[in-house]
């Protein structure tokens, strides 16, 4: 029986415990999408706080795929070196670092025209996107491929493909936003086709050197959306396409807030865990250490992903270790605080 502070191997990635910092947009980059002092301190302090893995915020693979003009980007060679420094600092202090590669699709608020599977705005507060042509699709696939190569050059230990929260790849998966009547729509095999193509591009770019994971929205909170059965089907296809772990979130493709209570997304993770044989990452108000430990010990999920809990307490993993009666693995200069 594994616990929160036991190691985990995901393909060739060694995690010292089961704690990951969730991707969290900061909107603190300049319009060049380059990481700056904010990101140095923000990500650096997570690395000192004991998680095995720190995931970057949604990092855009192309400029028109930014959620806002203040997003981090990985679409320009100039963005690589500052990211490499973040990774290097994390590694020096015992944390692995992943990059969440994202394309905001119709939820981008940027000067460029936005893209989506179909020309349907997210809400009346968003512009109507262009329905993607095959040429657009090729451009986005190329963007993912180049971004993955840059992620390798920056030294990231894992790539998480963002296919959740109503952004471009989720938009393809969902019948709410994908009304295409070509081979990229109509059926669930059609709706997942573009996502599988993205996975293939990323896999070819990284050549098995680092694991590639996916974040999905396992529930849409809309009766016309996809079902949990569809999600399991999608996950199976993604794993067959080479995905190494699945990060199970929910919502974001309709302007409805998901529920909000401890473990609110766990039932999705549990169902997927039963059906899929790669590590499952669970997220959503899991910061009570006893709940986190229980989720791992009972085999409901393999990794605990903490977002807001880490914003409130940058040393959440050390605090959780103390609460569970374990010895926190703190940086040497901080040890006197734990004697
Ligand atoms: C400030 C903030 C920014 C977020 N940005 C992202 C993001 O960039 N990518 C993503 O997949 N989820 C994002 N999320 C969702 C979180 O990663 C996480 O899934 C959610 O907050 C639930 O986990 P929690 O209860 O531990 O915070 C964000 C959440 C917050 C609070």
């Amino acid at each position: 029986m594994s616990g929160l502070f036991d190691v985990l191997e995901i393909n060739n990635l060694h995690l010292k415990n089961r704690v990951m910092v969730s991707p969290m947009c900061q909107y603190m980059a300049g319009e060049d999408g380059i990481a700056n002092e904010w990101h140095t301190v923000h990500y650096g302090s997570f690395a000192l706080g004991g998680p095995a893995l720190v995931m970057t915020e949604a990092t855009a693979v192309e400029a028109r795929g930014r959620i806002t003009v203040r997003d981090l980007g990985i679409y320009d060679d100039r963005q690589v070196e500052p990211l490499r420094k973040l990774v290097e600092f994390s590694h020096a202090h015992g944390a692995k670092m992943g990059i969440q590669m994202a394309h905001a699709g119709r939820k981008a608020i940027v000067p460029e025209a936005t893209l989506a599977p179909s020309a349907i705005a997210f809400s009346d507060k968003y512009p109507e996107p262009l329905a993607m042509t095959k040429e657009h699709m090729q451009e986005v696939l190329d963007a993912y491929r180049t971004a993955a190569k840059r992620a390798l050059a920056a030294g990231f230990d894992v790539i998480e493909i963002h296919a959740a929260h109503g952004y471009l790849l989720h938009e393809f998966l969902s019948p709410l936003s994908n009304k295409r009547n070509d081979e990229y729509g109509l059926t669930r095999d059609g709706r997942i086709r573009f996502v599988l193509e993205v996975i293939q591009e990323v896999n070819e770019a990284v050549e098995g050197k680092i694991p590639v994971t996916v974040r999905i929205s396992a529930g849409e909170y809309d009766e016309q959306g996809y079902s949990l059965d569809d999600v399991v089907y999608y996950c199976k296809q993604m794993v067959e396409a080479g995905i190494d772990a699945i990060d199970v979130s929910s919502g974001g493709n309709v302007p409805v807030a998901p529920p909000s209570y401890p473990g609110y997304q766990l039932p999705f993770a549990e169902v997927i865990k039963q059906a899929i044989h790669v590590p499952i990452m669970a997220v959503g108000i899991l910061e009570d250490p006893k709940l986190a430990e229980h989720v791992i010990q009972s085999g409901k999920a393999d990794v605990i992903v903490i977002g807001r809990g880490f914003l409130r307490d940058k040393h959440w993993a050390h605090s959780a270790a103390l609460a569970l009666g374990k010895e926190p693995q703190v940086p040497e200069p901080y040890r006197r605080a734990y004697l």
Side-chain angles (χ1 to χ4, degrees):
M1 185 175 65
S2 299
L4 189 61
F5 288 94
D6 289 327
V7 299
L8 177 69
E9 310 288 334
I10 300 182
N11 202 343
N12 51 6
L13 174 71
H14 174 81
L15 297 181
K16 65 182 178 186
N17 58 43
R18 309 301 186 92
V19 181
M20 169 175 135
V21 178
S22 207
M24 283 181 286
C25 285
Q26 298 297 294
Y27 310 126
M28 288 297 276
E31 292 201 16
D32 52 13
I34 294 179
N36 57 36
E37 290 85 347
W38 175 267
H39 304 93
T40 305
V41 174
H42 173 71
Y43 290 108
S45 51
F46 286 145
L48 301 181
L53 179 61
V54 178
M55 189 61 65
T56 69
E57 64 205 86
T59 304
V61 298
E62 60 169 16
R64 72 183 151 184
R66 293 171 293 171
I67 302 168
T68 75
V69 295
R70 306 289 305 276
D71 288 17
L72 280 186
I74 183 106
Y75 50 84
D76 185 318
D77 288 340
R78 290 177 306 139
Q79 293 159 342
V80 173
E81 182 57 17
L83 291 172
R84 198 190 62 73
K85 286 193 177 139
L86 300 182
V87 173
E88 199 173 66
F89 182 87
S90 283
H91 286 173
H93 298 286
K96 300 280 167 62
M97 199 158 176
I99 180 166
Q100 189 186 48
M101 291 199 338
H103 192 300
R106 66 178 181 164
K107 285 176 81 177
I109 304 277
V110 288
E112 296 87 355
T114 59
L115 299 180
S118 306
I120 307 167
F122 175 65
S123 75
D124 56 13
K125 296 192 178 59
Y126 286 77
E128 184 178 301
L130 299 172
M132 283 171 78
T133 62
K134 300 278 162 66
E135 288 71 31
H136 288 134
M137 288 189 196
Q138 193 53 54
E139 287 165 17
V140 173
L141 290 174
D142 292 345
Y144 271 98
R145 176 181 286 260
T146 330
K149 287 192 179 142
R150 291 195 184 99
L152 272 188
F156 283 105
D157 301 287
V158 51
I159 290 173
E160 177 172 278
I161 297 174
H162 196 351
H165 303 171
Y167 298 120
L168 184 66
L169 301 185
H170 182 177
E171 290 160 23
F172 268 90
L173 295 173
S174 171
L176 298 169
S177 42
N178 183 344
K179 306 283 186 194
R180 299 179 72 95
N181 48 25
D182 63 3
E183 68 270 35
Y184 292 94
L186 292 172
T187 62
R188 57 190 186 179
D189 284 317
R191 289 191 282 268
I192 198 179
R193 189 180 307 276
F194 186 61
V195 179
L196 295 179
E197 290 179 1
V198 166
I199 292 170
Q200 192 182 339
E201 291 292 337
V202 173
N203 276 341
E204 284 176 15
V206 305
E207 297 173 325
K209 290 181 183 132
I210 56 172
V212 179
T213 69
V214 167
R215 175 169 269 202
I216 49 149
S217 279
E220 294 214 278
Y221 307 112
D222 189 302
E223 281 183 4
Q224 310 299 315
Y226 51 59
S227 66
L228 191 49
D229 183 60
D230 293 331
V231 171
V232 168
Y233 182 79
Y234 286 156
C235 290
K236 284 185 174 160
Q237 301 281 312
M238 292 180 197
V239 170
E240 223 163 88
I243 284 302
D244 295 301
I246 298 186
D247 180 359
V248 183
S249 187
S250 70
N253 205 25
V254 288
V256 171
S260 180
Y261 52 85
Y264 65 95
Q265 294 172 146
L266 264 182
F268 299 126
E270 277 187 75
V271 169
I272 296 168
K273 171 93 182 135
Q274 293 301 318
I276 305 287
H277 301 293
V278 297
I280 298 299
M281 300 161 153
V283 64
I285 316 186
L286 296 175
E287 64 257 26
D288 174 346
K290 289 206 175 73
L291 173 60
E293 176 81 321
H294 168 74
V295 170
I296 299 295
Q297 285 187 347
S298 58
K300 292 186 202 305
D302 303 283
V303 174
I304 297 296
V305 184
I306 305 284
R308 290 161 291 181
F310 256 108
L311 292 183
R312 283 190 295 271
D313 175 5
K314 290 297 198 88
H315 290 185
W316 182 86
H318 299 322
S319 307
L322 277 180
L324 295 172
K326 314 261 177 199
E327 195 179 329
Q329 303 299 306
V330 299
E332 196 48 40
Y334 293 176
R335 186 145 304 279
R336 281 171 63 189
Y338 290 86
L339 291 175

